[in-house]
Amino acid sequence: MRLLKVATCNLNQWAMEFDCNLKNIKESIIRAKEAGAVIRLGPELEITGYGCEDHFLELDTISHAWECLKDLLLGDWTDGILCSFGMPVIKGSERYNCQVLCMNRKIIMIRAKMWLANDGNYRELRWFTAWKQKDKLEEFQLPCDISEALQQRTVPFGYGFMQFLDTAVAAEICEELFAPIPPHAELALNGVEVFMNASGSHHQLRKLDIRIRAFIGATHTRGGVYMYSNHQGCDGGRLYYDGCACVVVNGDVVAQGSQFSLKDVEVVVAQIDLDAVASLRGSISSFQEQASCKRFVSFIDVPYKLCQPFNLQMSLSSPLKISYHSPEEEIAFGPGCWLWDYLRRSGASGFLLPLSGGADSSSVAGIVGCMCQLVVKEIANGDEQVKADAIRIGNYTNGQFPIDSKEFAKRVFYTVFMGSENRQPENKSSDATRSRAKLLSEEIGSWHLDVSIDSVVSAFLSLFQTLTGKRPRYKVDGGSNIENLGLQNIQARIRMVLAFMMASLLPWVHSKPGFYLVLGSSNVDEGLRGYLTKYDCSSADINPIGSISKQDLRIFLRWAATHLGFSSLAEIEAAPPTAELEPIRSNYSQLDEVDMGMTYEELSVYGRLRKIFRCGPVSMFKNLCFGWGSKLSPSEVAEKVKHFFKYYSINRHKMTVLTPSYHAESYSPEDNRFDLRQFLYNSRWPYQFRKIDELVKELSVDKDASSSSTSDGVGIVAAGSADPKAGL
């Protein structure tokens, strides 16, 4: 037996906060050593933080990373343990994303990333160059002060592996795992048994399974130990890095860390028999044949043993059942942890939420309530950092700290129901939302206010009447569409102004220090359709649900009513969504889906086709003819597609000022970095809509042929399904 103990970790790093990052790195090494591990793997770019973005272009960032590495190497941190540290390195005139592999106070080699992540939220090619010299390792001259301190002038740089006396170890950096021909394939043929993947992977709903299947696939058919380390938390932007550090052996997960946590440091340890890797490889004929004619990969000899012989005192790690969260749990815990990181690092004293009693704002309230529960639970489990942060934020004194989530929520969370003439008790619907908001605030424990904005609205309208001599009326009272929209926008924007005013002044009123962050509550589908007022309550400091679909939020509400103890959320979920910006009459009640001219379910389909499957108007029409052909004619499908693209393009400009939102959905229209498109369109789409009309005309000539092609079941959307999401 060759027994090897390895440690990988989730670290809650903060971009450009070198003291915090170095502290977490050192704590992870301490825990790895205490567990007896001889390999410690940290996440990608852990020294600087992954989300530094254009700060990577600053020489200061590179210099500070080297200074932190020197601190680690001059101490005893790497004594007797192989450590992989992530940091940017400049070689010549190029900047590389690197893993610096160190042991016994020396740098063994610097492994430069070869395949950079450059899609979706990732922009690595903006800051780094991909390493292209794959046939050899080059000598890299260390910076002068590092060289003098370590008494080491040069180190091997590039692509290769480390050959120890008893095993071979190599690094594979994040995106490289998902490349068409990943490095671990040829490294395994060269005898590498242990792979270390340092990653900076963010949370996205239903994504974890894809990642873990990749780890399993990397070792299932070729054998090996696959170590995975990731960031965990909000490091300064829209993304939440969702941890899940793990160790996989020959296709079996033997150790797995948490996906969502308030911890700054989590270390995952596994005890492995490397002979099991050699045995599996020796039993696969195709592996043996390919290894006999492999392409040579450069390596560095390291005269040191990592393994221990057979020892009954050391038990082997057994395969585990992989732990996955349901989408409802992901919505609760991911944004909840992200909010906590943002709160404790922003200097704010809490959150303020305009709570309408509708599904969206109630979802945000439920997530904040979940955050408070997580904080109290983590304190009860002995996390001193969470406790210290909670004491500071909640303004506790005399040795007190949170022991009850409702009491903690009362200190850090304001909710405000902003009523108007369209939200009055005589309107049963409006009275229901008011009472739901109040009941939910009581269940969570927030400091709740009920405010009427009628006097402010009236003041604005009186001013307008003084200036113009005209007073606008709602459509139900005989006004035009322009008047109707203007009156709705006044209410919505007044609520935004009042929310920010109360967030800055209410802490002073209640003798609390600091300021409160305003939370937004528009969902991803409303953003996609533009069904929101520019600079209304969707405009806030941050938005935990801005990239979550309405359908997923409704599932979350049902789950949270039971599992978080906020039972009023069940009633809120069952109510039809409404903006309550127009007066309610006996023959009229404003409803979101009627206003939009499409359902939230349809919006999710449009969003996925537009973003995930990269469909323009014509391609979307063709796909939906398959997906909806059993219930809609081609002309009806055409009208729906045109209606969506018309309002999508008219309202795209709103995305330029969208509140920074937690990223959770693969079809998010977020304009800052994920969905980069113009915001000035010809909303008539003359060329594209003309092509659709031509197709409709062709299809209508032979309806029988159209029916036949629909039943064939070809296309992205499952044919003949009554569910427009089927097959997506």
Side-chain angles (χ1 to χ4, degrees), residues 458-469:
S458 179
F460 269 90
L461 293 177
S462 296
L463 175 61
F464 181 83
Q465 187 172 13
T466 300
L467 291 172
T468 66

Side-chain angles (χ1 to χ4, degrees), residues 382 550 724:
K550 190 76 164 190

Side-chain angles (χ1 to χ4, degrees), residues 315 464 575-576 618 708:
S315 60
F464 181 83
V618 176
S708 172

Side-chain angles (χ1 to χ4, degrees), residues 211-227:
R211 199 186 306 162
I212 290 185
R213 279 193 279 116
F215 308 149
I216 292 172
T219 61
H220 180 69
T221 58
R222 59 180 66 90
V225 177
Y226 207 93
M227 302 170 60

Side-chain angles (χ1 to χ4, degrees), residues 576-603:
T578 173
E580 291 190 326
L581 291 172
E582 294 182 70
I584 297 175
R585 298 288 186 263
S586 59
N587 62 345
Y588 178 77
S589 181
Q590 185 179 25
L591 297 173
D592 287 359
E593 293 183 333
V594 175
D595 269 2
M596 292 190 298
M598 59 191 75
T599 66
Y600 282 108
E601 186 178 16
E602 289 171 343
L603 263 173

Side-chain angles (χ1 to χ4, degrees), residues 252-254 317-321:
D252 291 320
V253 176
V254 299
S317 300
S318 301
L320 304 174
K321 180 181 179 181

